[in-house]
Amino acid sequence: MNDQLIIFDTTLRDGEQSPGASMTREEKVRIARQLERMRVDIIEAGFPAASNGDFEAVKSVAEAIRESTVCGLARAVERDIDRAAEAIRPAPRRRIHTFIATSPIHMQNKLRMTPDQVLERAVWAVQRAREYTDDVEFSPEDAGRSEIDFLCRVLEAVIAAGARTVNIPDTVGYNLPHQFGGLIKTLRERIPNADQAVFSVHCHNDLGLAVANSLSAVLNGARQVECTINGLGERAGNAALEEIVMAVRTRRDLFSCETQIDTTQIVPASRLVAGITGFPVQPNKAIVGANAFAHESGIHQDGVIKKRETYEIMRAEDVGWTANRMVLGKHSGRNAFKQRLKELGIEFKTEQELNSAFERFKDLADKKHEIFDEDLQALVTVENLEAENEHYRLVSLRVCSQTGETPHAEVTLAVDGGEHARSADGGGPVDAAFRAIDGIIGSGAQLLLYSVSNITSGTDAQGEVTVRLERGGRIVNGQGADTDIVIASAKAYLNALNKLVGAPERTHPQAMQPI
Ligand code: KIV
Ligand code: ZN
């Protein structure tokens, strides 16, 4: 029997450290639910000591997740470990992940600690975390640039202190695959109690090698990989979950291990994370890019028609691509609607939630004859977005755009129970609509990103808009979907403005002291 390769997802923690990718509590819970549906083993939900917002988000994930293990990150300091323990307490399976840097450059310049002090602190941190849970992971930060003898000493000591998982981070993405695989092999051979812990890896993508380095580590005995959906993460990101999982599955002839991931949930997870963070997936991205299974050349198309395996090593449906199948229409009933959403893994907590989603579905079906799975997913996402914190709500929008004329928009918003209207001109209809909205709200926010994509194909497709706003150093993303892209844009803009009103202040981990 093959070993299990443990999939540790850190989209909600390292992924969130991508500048501009910060998520609200509700967004984190939605992503966590999708990760659980995908059967991710461990969900690193955040860094509870970083801020009250992070603490509450980890706690909410711990309350929502029943099957996957919920993990909280903690520096090797008392307050961090205690906060992490408290945040993950509601979860049936919980892990504390504590870390301290072990490379000379980090110890001397960042921590200003001697190697002996670092070793002592690492052991202390693991023991402290073990007071709360048996499932403790330790990371020697910047292991990829640490001295091998010292790394062995630290890892042996933390395993003896009770760390069940030792994670080897290539924090700055400096290693090459043969070197990183060799590091894992050496550590496993040289550390006397290596067999008492799972060896994990955490690779960053600064040289575009995060996945290659992780796979090389797996070939050398690592049995946990830390990764993120779409490869999100600090700077150039982390190893992409979808690439790791599909490489191990597709090349099972080379790997003596397997994951328990439900791969059909990969594309829905990718779309969800891209929508929430506003980081679109490049079309040629492996597995989840729009072109990942598209054949342009006639020779390739001919080959695939004759025998799919001539040019395809994986099946699109195995990773969750659906063929834009028409699933429902104007005459579909409430039960068919409920059933299809259930098949997509979406369930409603109350009848009222179902009824309001069904009403939206009927409105959409009036405008668009064929409703695809992707439309249903967007519909429910929008439903969630609007339920979150509706300080400002779009009542009506009228735009006038014609050749030779300046585009003009008239907007009415509901704000705290009262209605307010404004009109404005703009460079285009979206610009005019945003100016009119700002005329009412006076947000003072700066627009950092505006992007539109189509949810399905065809000119009657819904447009999905992401807007990123910045105010006073806080960055938020908003989303909106509609068959009319100006309305979708206004909804996305309001969604972002609502988040600026409601979202608690978040301390970026980088703004924290190293220890
Ligand atoms: O990249 C890194 O070293 C980390 C650690 C906290 C594991 O994210
Ligand atoms: Zn990292």
Side-chain angles (χ1 to χ4, degrees), residues 218-235:
V218 173
L219 289 170
N220 283 284
R223 284 298 173 265
Q224 174 178 290
V225 174
E226 302 199 352
C227 44
T228 58
I229 303 291
N230 300 337
L232 210 64
E234 278 267 10
R235 306 181 309 278

Side-chain angles (χ1 to χ4, degrees), residues 66-232:
R66 302 292 87 184
E67 298 298 328
S68 309
T69 296
V70 177
C71 175
L73 183 68
R75 290 167 303 177
V77 295
E78 187 169 328
R79 181 175 174 274
D80 277 32
I81 295 170
D82 297 354
R83 288 292 273 172
E86 202 183 328
I88 61 172
R89 192 178 298 137
R93 296 162 219 262
R94 38 193 184 270
R95 171 178 294 191
I96 297 176
H97 175 190
T98 185
F99 71 98
I100 187 165
T102 51
S103 63
I105 186 168
H106 277 235
M107 291 191 292
Q108 284 158 24
N109 301 287
K110 185 181 80 171
L111 299 175
R112 298 183 203 277
M113 287 168 80
T114 64
D116 284 344
Q117 287 170 328
V118 166
L119 188 143
E120 197 183 316
R121 182 66 75 89
V123 169
W124 172 87
V126 169
Q127 285 166 342
R128 175 96 192 171
R130 279 296 302 253
E131 289 173 20
Y132 294 107
T133 170
D134 288 346
D135 192 350
V136 172
E137 170 173 330
F138 173 78
S139 289
E141 190 191 5
D142 204 17
R145 291 188 301 171
S146 298
E147 282 168 0
I148 188 74
D149 290 345
F150 182 56
L151 201 50
C152 287
R153 268 179 69 210
V154 171
L155 293 175
E156 182 183 349
V158 293
I159 295 171
R164 281 215 192 141
T165 303
V166 286
N167 177 47
I168 313 302
D170 183 18
T171 303
V172 289
Y174 180 67
N175 282 235
L176 299 185
H178 72 284
Q179 188 187 14
F180 197 63
L183 173 64
I184 301 302
K185 185 168 184 285
T186 307
L187 292 173
R188 291 183 62 236
E189 282 168 3
R190 282 190 44 187
I191 297 172
N193 53 2
D195 59 333
Q196 288 166 37
V198 172
F199 275 72
S200 165
V201 287
H202 175 111
C203 297
H204 278 273
N205 208 27
D206 300 68
L207 294 173
L209 294 169
V211 170
N213 284 343
S214 306
L215 293 175
S216 172
V218 173
L219 289 170
N220 283 284
R223 284 298 173 265
Q224 174 178 290
V225 174
E226 302 199 352
C227 44
T228 58
I229 303 291
N230 300 337
L232 210 64

